[in-house]
Structure formats: C-alpha cells, structure tokens
Amino acid sequence: MIDLEAPLVRLAVISDLHAFASPEKSKDSVMDLTGSNNNVANPLIDLIDAVTERGLTADVLVCAGDICNQADLPGLQRAWEKIHVLSHALRASQTISTCGNHDLDSRYLSKESDPDPKGFLLSLNPPFPFEDEPLNDRYWARNYAMATLSNGVVIVSLNSSAFHGGKPEEIDHGRVSRRTIDALCAELRGKRTASAHILLCHHHPAPQSGWQGRADIEYIANGPVLLDKLTKATDSSWLVIHGHRHVPRLIHGASPSNRVPFIFGAGSLGARIPGVANQFHMVDIHQSAASDHTSIVGAVRTWSWTDSAKWTSSTGPAGLPAACGFGYQGQTKALASQIDALVGQSFAPWTQVRSSVPSVDLLLPDSLSQLVRDLESLGIQINYAKDGQPSQVGR
C-alpha cells in the first residue's frame, strides 16, 4: 500500500504569471509588478505570504513559462526574482522553469537595435531556466535539458517555444523537432529505471477539444509523437506539466499501452479570464506496483486566488478541485463499494476513507465526479469542509 504521507517528490507548480512592469503591457493580466501601486492585489505576492503563513513546503518549484506578459522584459526580471522568493518560502531545493512564448521577444517588440528573442532570458539573474549553468547551456543548445534529483526522479525541461522568432507562423503554436525527440529518447534510455519521469513544457502536447469553439492549432507540433516515444523509451507512465492554455486541466493522454502520460495543464497564476480561476498546485508523486495503478501516481492539492479572498483551497470556477489526483486505473464503482462497506449504516471521517481506500486520492477530476455519483446511487453523501476538502462520508 502507498504511503501517501511520504511522497517520492513534492512539486509546487505555477505557470503563466504574465507579469508586467510596464503599464502598456498589462492587457488581460492581474500580475502588476510596476511598483507604482502597492495596494493592488497581486497573486504572486499573496502566494508568497500564504505559503509562509501556512507553512507549505515543496521539494521543487516548477514554472511552465509565460513569466511575463508580451515580452515585458523588466516584468520578466522582477517576476523571476519573486519566483525565487517563493521557492525560498517553500524551502524548495531547486527551481526549474521553461520558456513561454510571451517570455521571448519573438515579435521584436524591444526598442533595442540588436534584436535577440531569447537574449534577455539568457541574462536573467538567477540563471534561467535552471540554477545550473551547464544544464542551461544544454537547454538552449538542444531545446531540452534533464535534471535528476537525488532520489532518482527525472525532470525534463523542454523548450516548446524554441522556433518562435523563426518563420512568422511559428508564433501560432509550439514545436518539438524530430531531432530533439530522438536525442531526448536516446538520453532517456539510460534513465529507464528512474523512480519517476516528469516533462515540463509551456505548450500543451496534444490538441484540446472544445477550445473557445474552434479547432486547436496552438499545441506542440509533433507533440503526440513525443508523448508516444517518451513512454516507450522509459517503459513507464509520465507526468507532463504544461501551461499556455490558462484553464487548469488534468487528463491522461492517448497510449497504446497502460503506460499512459498524464497531462497536467497548470492554468495561470496571473492571466485574467472571466469565469476561470487563477490557481496554484502542489503535486505529491509516488511509485506504485498496484495492479490497478499506473507506474507513477499522484495526489494534487489546489488553491484558487481572487483579489478579495486571496488564496483559498475552495474549488474555483473552471479549474481543478481542491483535491484530485492521477494514476488509478480501476473502476470508481469498486472504490464506492469499499467506501460503502466502511460506512455501513453510519458515517466515517474522510481521513479514515483515505487510510482504508487510498486510491480516492488518485482520481482524475472527472473520475472524482463519477465516484460522487456512484456513492449517491448507494445513498451515500460526501460532506465538505470550508476549505473545499471532504470532511466525512455517510448516509
């Protein structure tokens, strides 16, 4: 049985800050780092305060790109510095990021006479996207770099914006070249026994249906090929963390085997979209050999931000719930039956459910909704605390 209190690694996940230090770059963003109005609510500054007050900790802070808005280079530097303040507050051992399309001056908006789309990213302090200069050199030279944590967890940072600033149409989508895929998979053959495999990228690796009522063309070109080859190269499931879409989402990708990639869209920390929550996530990752689990499983906690309530763990609109997960491959009816036996004719605290039926923490959001319906069909209701977490279950 998995000890959900002792994860292999705990990731703090942020994405799409869209920070601006220049008022003219403020379109559709609440991440005001102009410094002109300290009374304006700011999700990143509020998050640093919330993490400190609540004693939240993580092993690694990952950021899935679009740190600034519309290539606002002063905003990029200020936000990058505050990301490291957040990392320190989390007591994270390292910070790993990747490049978003807004972080590049791919439209040559800068007034400098020496245009260089990635030049400012190369001059950031602390270094970007890793704190290790050889890894940074590899990231910019090969469009990816791989960090291996002390416990064997592998985190690959992929630059899906690497071709922005080339052909004009490349700004419309992400891309990973076949050469990059082949080089990455060749390197991964020496990492097949890693305790977990994680891919960090900015653009989503496969098309998403129902995006604003039109066909999705912004995903990573060759992304589906990448997902297929990654799982085959390591013979394991992957967790893929991406940004760009601003709507938080956790699903599993297509796979011809049960070694599926889990695709975690982190949403946005700072983009203002009506009806969509700004969210921050903590992901606990575990190995599993259970017959109804994938090779890695995870439990996800999510907090939502508003300028009035600040950071709360109640479920926000159009975002991830306060708690969900990934990796359970069995039927939710089986879990409902186990909970039914536990409850009997009375009730049980949710802590007891989690201890006796730990797979409830490993359900994708849609599967979690299905479990609720399965329990209701048995006459069982889940009660929730004010923080959006289940508190007890019973008849």
Side-chain angles (χ1 to χ4, degrees):
M1 183 177 292
I2 299 172
D3 180 4
L4 292 175
E5 303 305 318
L8 260 177
V9 63
R10 173 171 293 167
L11 304 178
V13 180
I14 59 175
S15 186
D16 291 73
L17 283 70
H18 287 274
F20 62 92
S22 309
E24 66 272 16
K25 299 291 184 72
S26 63
K27 182 180 179 182
D28 299 324
S29 174
V30 295
M31 193 64 72
D32 186 346
L33 294 181
T34 61
S36 60
N37 189 348
N38 293 327
N39 295 321
V40 174
N42 184 295
L44 180 56
I45 294 172
D46 290 343
L47 181 57
I48 294 169
D49 292 340
V51 162
T52 302
E53 291 168 4
R54 300 171 194 180
L56 300 178
T57 62
D59 300 305
V60 181
L61 171 62
V62 298
C63 176
D66 274 3
I67 295 171
C68 71
N69 205 39
Q70 300 178 344
D72 184 348
L73 303 185
L76 177 61
Q77 178 64 60
R78 294 180 191 181
W80 185 237
E81 291 170 356
K82 290 193 178 298
I83 285 172
H84 281 79
V85 174
L86 173 62
S87 182
H88 179 74
L90 287 162
R91 303 179 195 173
S93 62
Q94 58 183 296
T95 301
I96 299 175
S97 188
T98 194
C99 176
N101 50 295
H102 278 258
D103 302 323
L104 292 165
D105 192 8
S106 54
R107 288 180 170 87
Y108 303 103
L109 301 175
S110 172
K111 297 178 182 178
E112 294 181 10
S113 59
D114 186 20
D116 181 355
K118 65 181 181 183
F120 201 76
L121 287 164
L122 289 168
S123 65
L124 282 177
N125 185 31
F128 178 94
F130 296 88
E131 297 167 8
D132 181 87
E133 283 290 0
L135 282 178
N136 291 339
D137 292 343
R138 193 171 183 85
Y139 176 88
W140 293 114
R142 302 202 175 197
N143 299 330
Y144 79 90
M146 187 182 305
T148 303
L149 306 185
S150 59
N151 60 1
V153 173
V154 167
I155 301 177
V156 177
S157 179
L158 173 73
N159 185 3
S160 64
S161 302
F163 295 86
H164 286 225
K167 289 183 178 180
E169 60 268 24
E170 287 297 325
I171 64 174
D172 295 330
H173 57 81
R175 180 180 294 280
V176 57
S177 70
R178 298 279 183 148
R179 291 186 184 89
T180 298
I181 294 173
D182 291 343
L184 173 56
C185 289
E187 189 172 347
L188 284 168
R189 292 190 189 105
K191 303 287 186 179
R192 289 174 63 91
T193 59
S195 50
H197 296 92
I198 300 161
L199 176 69
L200 176 66
C201 51
H202 178 63
H203 297 83
H204 44 301
Q208 293 184 4
S209 60
W211 175 249
Q212 295 184 344
R214 65 179 189 269
D216 180 11
I217 63 169
E218 296 186 21
Y219 67 97
I220 298 174
N222 293 325
V225 176
L226 171 67
L227 293 180
D228 183 51
K229 291 200 171 186
L230 286 179
T231 55
K232 288 179 178 176
T234 59
D235 198 27
S236 64
S237 292
W238 279 67
L239 174 63
V240 180
I241 300 172
H242 73 83
H244 191 63
R245 267 300 178 232
H246 298 174
V247 179
R249 189 180 187 191
L250 179 53
I251 62 173
H252 61 70
S255 174
S257 74
N258 63 357
R259 293 170 177 81
V260 298
F262 293 98
I263 302 174
F264 183 12
S268 175
L269 207 68
R272 173 74 83 190
I273 299 180
V276 180
N278 297 107
Q279 294 195 318
F280 161 74
H281 318 276
M282 300 274 274
V283 185
D284 286 356
I285 296 174
H286 307 259
Q287 280 183 316
S288 179
S291 60
D292 54 357
H293 292 171
T294 49
S295 55
I296 62 166
V297 300
V300 180
R301 289 180 293 161
T302 293
W303 290 261
S304 299
W305 181 87
T306 64
D307 51 8
S308 56
K310 305 302 173 66
W311 286 102
T312 64
S313 56
S314 58
T315 301
L320 294 188
C324 62
F326 61 89
Y328 177 68
Q329 289 192 306
Q331 296 188 43
T332 55
K333 286 184 178 180
L335 301 183
S337 295
Q338 294 177 54
I339 295 172
D340 184 21
L342 183 67
V343 169
Q345 296 303 313
S346 183
F347 67 92
W350 192 252
T351 52
Q352 186 179 353
V353 174
R354 293 182 66 232
S355 176
S356 301
V357 192
S359 290
V360 296
D361 282 343
L362 310 177
L363 294 176
L364 294 167
D366 285 357
S367 296
L368 188 59
S369 297
Q370 182 61 56
L371 174 64
V372 171
R373 293 193 294 271
D374 291 338
L375 288 171
E376 288 174 348
S377 70
L378 297 172
I380 297 173
Q381 301 288 330
I382 299 177
N383 292 329
Y384 295 87
K386 291 181 179 179
D387 63 2
Q389 302 278 0
S391 58
Q392 68 177 28
V393 60
R395 286 184 161 85

